[in-house]
Amino acid sequence: MNINWGVMIPILAKAIGETFQMIGIALVFTIVFGLLVGVLLVSTDEGGVYEAPFGSRRLGAIIHAVLGFIVNIGRSLPFIILMVVLIPFTRLIIGTFIGPTAAAVPLTIAAIPFFARLVEIALREVDTGLVEAARSMGATRGTIIWKVLLAEARPSIVLALSTSVISLLNYSAIAGTIGAGGIGDIAIRYGYQRYDNSYLFTTIIILIVIVQMVQLVASAVARRLSHR
Amino acid sequence: MITITDLHKSYSPRNARGTTVEALKGIDLTVADGEIFGVVGQSGAGKSTLLRCVNLLERPTSGSITVAGQDLTTLGEADLRVARHGIGMVFQHFNLLSSRTVAENVEFGLEITGVDRAARRARSAEVLDLVGLGDRASAYPSQLSGGQKQRVGIARALAGNPKVLLSDEATSSLDPETTDSILQLLKELNRTLGVTIMLITHEMEVVKRICTSAALIEGGRIVESGNVIDLLNTPKSKIAHALFPLGESRGEPGNTVIEIMYAGHLADEPIVGRMSREFGIDVNILGAAVEVVSDHRVGRMRLELPGSVESNAVPIARLKDSGLYVEVLEGAL
């Protein structure tokens, strides 16, 4: 195989930059809203600290059910369809649906429910005895969420985050097909449409390396945080 | 220190077909200042619900709970949180935060009450010394043994200088030796700090070792309660019998079987020998136990005397006169 590195490297460098850009933006919003939704899902459930917001169990149950429903909708749409459906919304807030910044919008919308469910699982793994101990010490709900639930679930949340990043990488390749740019876009345009296997294989290697690194770092951080 | 009045707790059914479960059916209980009060009962008797009602982790269906002069059932959420700062609690499974070091766990309650960092540090070092773990402050709970974890749990509960310590089966997941050392620690803390302890347990050994008072809970009701030594002298007391199991040996039909209980200096006297010498009867010992209960040496003995109760009236009266508690088990009717 005769590879012209001088041509390929700038193209790939730009693509990697675009991929990191869309994933980076999406990740920030995913962390913030995913944590929020995950915490709400757990705390408004029966036995959660907000099972009865404003003294109403009914309100808690309604919030829980509505939130769960929305999250499930988000998770039931295949990313490519979600992306198309969200085009008007993306245009509204970014002004265009082309480019990595615009692609961050559907990526975020897709990743929030995914990450939120993983956060929910992580929080449910925290021993209820710890919540009880905190309550017996007179802890407020906020303290219980911050210093017990989220603090204890940190290792699992870091692993959930790495899973979400890898999903985002996956979605970003699909976003590439409708003009987002990025590594996936190169693989499709150069590798698939131009039959240039050197691009195809190089992008595959890059993707593998990125995923391995994400997982490696996340596992190391999780191990560091875990004292179980 | 703790007064529980007509406490009811029932759990409403989860669905239409379920039935309401009545866990507590009218509990009245008083725990005096500085006592170690043990609530014993089998699992499912309601003791855990009862303890969790004391700091309102479970809200009672009706009745009142007064701790240190404050009726907790009337308090709003914010006031209740403040009241809980004065009530420490230790748990069977320790419930330590795995993400925090020993010192940080002990400081948790102080963080909640808004104590500043330096004062928290100082206080956690102080209480960790008190429970004998001064050198493990920077370890994580997973690096500790069960007994050490419970010591951390106790230190955490005591950090805020509570007047009351609630213990939810604190020694039930520990081996016998560790149980001993934890009970010893609780007793010592009760003596030196004056903290009132209310504990629940299914182990009679715990009552025997450290409790000054005890209550027996069965089916959501208190069936017996009082000072342990008084209970030992109460006819037919279930707690007394459970503290002193004498076996099943019942003697020959037609003979008289009595149980005698003795405490203090009487424990050193040759009761049986003197009785057979004085009255010329062959006393048969069916069972006997001598134990130390709340720091008192007490003994219980089941004796078989030949002949009917009437024919043994004089020796029994003589035993009673010498200050022994005597219970006639057979031949009385």
Side-chain angles (χ1 to χ4, degrees):
Chain A
M1 212 184 293
N2 195 3
I3 302 172
N4 186 344
W5 292 107
V7 176
M8 194 195 243
I9 288 174
I11 291 174
L12 287 175
K14 181 167 173 281
I16 292 173
E18 286 166 350
T19 296
F20 281 8
Q21 187 186 340
M22 57 185 136
I23 291 180
I25 296 169
L27 199 58
V28 171
F29 289 98
T30 301
I31 292 172
V32 174
F33 291 102
L35 281 176
L36 187 68
V37 173
V39 165
L40 280 174
L41 278 173
V42 173
S43 56
T44 56
D45 200 6
E46 235 173 279
V49 291
Y50 283 114
E51 64 173 356
F54 306 108
S56 162
R57 267 171 184 277
R58 193 175 196 132
L59 182 61
I62 291 171
I63 294 174
H64 183 75
V66 169
L67 219 50
F69 185 68
I70 295 172
V71 164
N72 284 344
I73 291 178
R75 300 214 47 208
S76 34
L77 293 184
F79 182 68
I80 192 152
I81 297 172
L82 184 76
M83 207 165 53
V84 173
V85 168
L86 285 176
I87 285 175
F89 178 68
T90 307
R91 265 219 184 99
L92 187 74
I93 55 173
I94 308 288
T96 172
F97 73 93
I98 308 289
T101 308
V105 175
L107 285 177
T108 307
I109 304 290
I112 288 172
F114 182 71
F115 183 55
R117 282 290 184 210
L118 294 178
V119 169
E120 184 192 3
I121 294 167
L123 296 180
R124 284 190 197 282
E125 271 169 16
V126 176
D127 186 353
T128 51
L130 300 183
V131 174
E132 184 148 278
R135 283 180 63 211
S136 81
M137 287 185 261
T140 59
R141 294 189 172 88
T143 303
I144 291 172
I145 288 172
W146 271 113
K147 296 192 169 179
V148 179
L149 292 178
L150 288 172
E152 284 289 305
R154 263 184 330 201
S156 312
I157 289 174
V158 168
L159 292 176
L161 201 59
S162 72
T163 307
S164 303
V165 170
I166 292 165
S167 278
L168 278 172
L169 193 64
N170 181 5
Y171 296 156
S172 77
I174 302 172
T177 60
I178 65 159
I183 303 168
D185 177 43
I186 300 301
I188 296 292
R189 275 198 293 137
Y190 290 78
Y192 176 65
Q193 287 162 354
R194 291 192 195 172
Y195 304 106
D196 190 340
N197 282 341
S198 62
Y199 279 87
L200 196 58
F201 290 132
T202 315
T203 50
I204 287 172
I205 289 165
I206 291 169
L207 288 171
I208 289 172
V209 169
I210 293 174
V211 170
Q212 295 292 347
M213 299 245 287
V214 168
Q215 197 57 59
L216 215 66
V217 170
S219 298
V221 172
R223 216 174 309 123
R224 188 77 197 263
L225 289 173
S226 173
H227 297 286
R228 281 188 201 207
Chain B
M1 182 56 76
I2 304 173
T3 308
I4 298 170
T5 316
D6 197 26
L7 185 74
H8 287 263
K9 171 72 187 177
S10 46
Y11 295 96
S12 42
R14 279 180 175 258
N15 55 50
R17 279 179 302 165
T19 47
T20 302
V21 178
E22 249 188 297
L24 301 175
K25 302 167 185 168
I27 302 273
D28 290 288
L29 209 62
T30 305
V31 179
D33 211 343
E35 256 192 323
I36 302 183
F37 193 102
V39 177
V40 282
Q42 310 216 311
S43 54
K47 56 187 189 305
S48 189
T49 307
L50 173 60
L51 192 76
R52 292 153 48 83
C53 276
V54 174
N55 60 359
L56 256 65
L57 282 179
E58 302 256 14
R59 199 163 263 285
T61 314
S62 67
S64 76
I65 294 149
T66 307
V67 178
Q70 196 174 28
D71 184 351
L72 302 185
T73 47
T74 61
L75 297 181
E77 210 180 298
D79 290 330
L80 178 59
R81 277 202 299 270
V82 174
R84 279 176 179 157
H85 299 155
I87 307 172
M89 192 169 190
V90 289
F91 303 86
Q92 179 177 1
H93 300 296
F94 326 123
N95 294 348
L96 302 175
L97 296 165
S98 70
S99 57
R100 287 172 170 241
T101 62
V102 164
E104 288 165 349
N105 263 288
V106 174
E107 288 174 37
F108 189 41
L110 303 173
E111 267 174 62
I112 292 169
T113 47
V115 176
D116 70 68
R117 202 185 162 77
R120 288 204 309 261
R121 275 282 128 114
R123 179 62 184 157
S124 84
E126 207 174 289
V127 278
L128 280 173
D129 274 339
L130 209 57
V131 300
L133 280 180
D135 54 337
R136 300 309 305 270
S138 54
Y140 282 90
S142 60
Q143 299 166 313
L144 305 180
S145 68
Q148 289 175 322
K149 284 180 194 169
Q150 196 55 289
R151 282 171 189 268
V152 177
I154 292 168
R156 178 175 69 175
L158 291 175
N161 272 317
K163 295 187 192 71
V164 175
L165 184 66
L166 304 177
S167 162
D168 184 355
E169 298 269 13
T171 58
S172 295
S173 48
L174 302 174
D175 62 64
E177 271 171 52
T178 316
T179 295
D180 249 28
S181 75
I182 293 293
L183 292 178
Q184 212 48 52
L185 175 65
L186 288 174
K187 194 169 177 173
E188 205 176 292
L189 294 170
N190 165 262
R191 210 187 51 232
T192 54
L193 307 176
V195 61
T196 304
I197 300 177
M198 178 172 174
L199 61 88
I200 61 166
T201 182
H202 63 273
E203 297 167 314
M204 269 301 172
E205 194 59 32
V206 173
V207 176
K208 199 185 284 178
R209 288 289 314 273
I210 64 168
C211 291
T212 47
S213 293
L216 177 66
I217 186 167
E218 270 176 13
R221 289 195 177 86
I222 299 287
V223 292
E224 221 177 283
S225 102
N227 181 287
V228 173
I229 295 297
D230 292 346
L231 284 173
L232 287 174
N233 290 315
T234 305
K236 312 274 185 213
S237 159
K238 289 184 182 180
I239 292 179
H241 282 245
L243 283 175
F244 278 103
L246 286 181
E248 292 304 311
S249 182
R250 310 299 297 186
E252 294 285 318
N255 285 349
T256 304
V257 176
I258 61 171
E259 277 186 15
I260 59 175
M261 191 92 78
Y262 48 91
H265 70 282
L266 288 170
D268 301 325
E269 292 192 15
I271 297 155
V272 177
R274 205 177 51 203
M275 192 160 87
S276 52
R277 235 179 302 118
E278 234 174 278
F279 300 98
I281 50 178
D282 293 324
V283 181
N284 183 22
I285 301 176
L286 296 174
V290 179
E291 299 264 10
V292 176
V293 176
S294 347
D295 293 332
H296 294 267
R297 204 160 144 225
V298 274
R300 194 164 141 233
M301 218 184 269
R302 186 183 294 149
L303 303 175
E304 183 182 19
L305 311 176
S308 65
V309 178
E310 289 75 31
S311 65
N312 285 303
V314 180
I316 290 173
R318 175 80 172 81
L319 285 175
K320 284 181 177 165
D321 283 347
S322 60
L324 295 167
Y325 160 69
V326 183
E327 190 182 341
V328 180
L329 292 181
E330 264 164 54
L333 295 171

